[in-house]
Coordinates of all heavy atoms in Angstrom, one line a residue:
N119 N 128.4 83.4 105.2 CA 129.9 83.4 105.2 C 130.3 82.0 104.6 O 129.4 81.1 104.3 CB 130.5 83.6 106.6 CG 130.1 82.5 107.6 OD1 130.0 81.3 107.2 ND2 129.9 82.9 108.8
K120 N 131.6 81.8 104.4 CA 132.0 80.6 103.6 C 131.7 79.3 104.4 O 131.2 78.4 103.7 CB 133.5 80.7 103.4 CG 134.0 79.6 102.4 CD 135.4 79.9 101.9 CE 135.8 78.8 100.9 NZ 137.1 79.0 100.3
A121 N 131.9 79.3 105.7 CA 131.6 78.1 106.4 C 130.1 77.8 106.3 O 129.7 76.6 106.2 CB 132.0 78.3 107.9
E122 N 129.2 78.8 106.4 CA 127.8 78.5 106.3 C 127.4 78.1 104.9 O 126.6 77.2 104.8 CB 127.0 79.8 106.6 CG 127.1 80.2 108.1 CD 126.6 81.6 108.3 OE1 126.6 82.5 107.4 OE2 126.1 81.9 109.5
A123 N 128.0 78.7 103.9 CA 127.8 78.3 102.5 C 128.1 76.8 102.3 O 127.4 76.1 101.6 CB 128.5 79.2 101.6
I124 N 129.3 76.4 102.8 CA 129.7 75.0 102.6 C 128.8 74.1 103.3 O 128.5 73.0 102.8 CB 131.2 74.9 103.1 CG1 132.1 75.6 102.1 CG2 131.6 73.4 103.2 CD1 133.6 75.7 102.5
E125 N 128.4 74.4 104.5 CA 127.5 73.6 105.3 C 126.2 73.4 104.6 O 125.7 72.3 104.5 CB 127.3 74.2 106.7 CG 126.4 73.4 107.6 CD 127.1 72.0 108.0 OE1 128.3 71.9 108.0 OE2 126.3 71.1 108.3
Q126 N 125.7 74.5 104.1 CA 124.4 74.5 103.3 C 124.6 73.6 102.1 O 123.7 72.8 101.7 CB 123.9 75.9 102.9 CG 122.6 75.9 102.2 CD 122.3 77.2 101.5 OE1 123.2 77.9 101.1 NE2 121.1 77.6 101.5
A127 N 125.7 73.8 101.3 CA 125.9 73.1 100.1 C 126.0 71.6 100.4 O 125.5 70.8 99.6 CB 127.2 73.6 99.4
K128 N 126.6 71.2 101.4 CA 126.7 69.8 101.8 C 125.3 69.2 102.0 O 125.0 68.1 101.6 CB 127.6 69.6 103.0 CG 129.1 69.7 102.8 CD 129.9 69.6 104.1 CE 131.4 69.6 103.8 NZ 132.2 69.6 105.1
K129 N 124.5 69.9 102.7 CA 123.1 69.5 103.0 C 122.3 69.3 101.7 O 121.6 68.4 101.5 CB 122.4 70.4 103.9 CG 122.8 70.4 105.4 CD 122.1 71.4 106.2 CE 122.6 71.3 107.7 NZ 122.1 72.4 108.5
L130 N 122.5 70.3 100.8 CA 121.8 70.3 99.5 C 122.3 69.1 98.6 O 121.5 68.5 97.9 CB 121.9 71.6 98.8 CG 121.1 72.8 99.4 CD1 121.5 74.1 98.8 CD2 119.6 72.5 99.3
L131 N 123.6 68.9 98.6 CA 124.1 67.8 97.8 C 123.7 66.5 98.4 O 123.4 65.5 97.6 CB 125.7 67.8 97.7 CG 126.3 69.0 96.8 CD1 127.8 69.0 97.0 CD2 125.9 68.8 95.4
D132 N 123.6 66.4 99.7 CA 123.0 65.2 100.3 C 121.5 65.0 99.9 O 121.1 63.9 99.6 CB 123.1 65.3 101.8 CG 122.7 64.0 102.5 OD1 123.1 62.9 102.1 OD2 121.8 64.1 103.5
K133 N 120.8 66.1 99.8 CA 119.4 66.1 99.5 C 119.2 65.6 98.1 O 118.2 64.9 97.8 CB 118.8 67.5 99.6 CG 117.4 67.7 99.3 CD 117.1 69.2 99.3 CE 115.6 69.5 99.2 NZ 115.0 69.7 100.5
V134 N 120.1 65.9 97.2 CA 120.0 65.4 95.8 C 120.8 64.1 95.5 O 121.0 63.7 94.4 CB 120.4 66.5 94.7 CG1 119.5 67.7 94.9 CG2 121.9 66.9 94.8
G135 N 121.2 63.5 96.6 CA 121.9 62.2 96.5 C 123.3 62.2 96.1 O 123.8 61.2 95.5
L136 N 124.0 63.3 96.4 CA 125.4 63.5 95.9 C 126.3 63.9 97.0 O 127.3 64.6 96.8 CB 125.5 64.5 94.8 CG 124.8 64.1 93.4 CD1 124.8 65.3 92.5 CD2 125.5 62.9 92.8
S137 N 126.1 63.4 98.2 CA 126.9 63.8 99.3 C 128.4 63.4 99.2 O 129.3 64.0 99.7 CB 126.4 63.2 100.6 OG 126.3 61.8 100.5

Side-chain angles (χ1 to χ4, degrees):
N119 63 38
K120 190 166 185 180
E122 289 168 335
I124 289 171
E125 184 63 27
Q126 181 193 34
K128 285 179 177 176
K129 286 178 182 172
L130 288 170
L131 287 173
D132 184 49
K133 184 188 187 90
V134 299
L136 292 173
S137 56

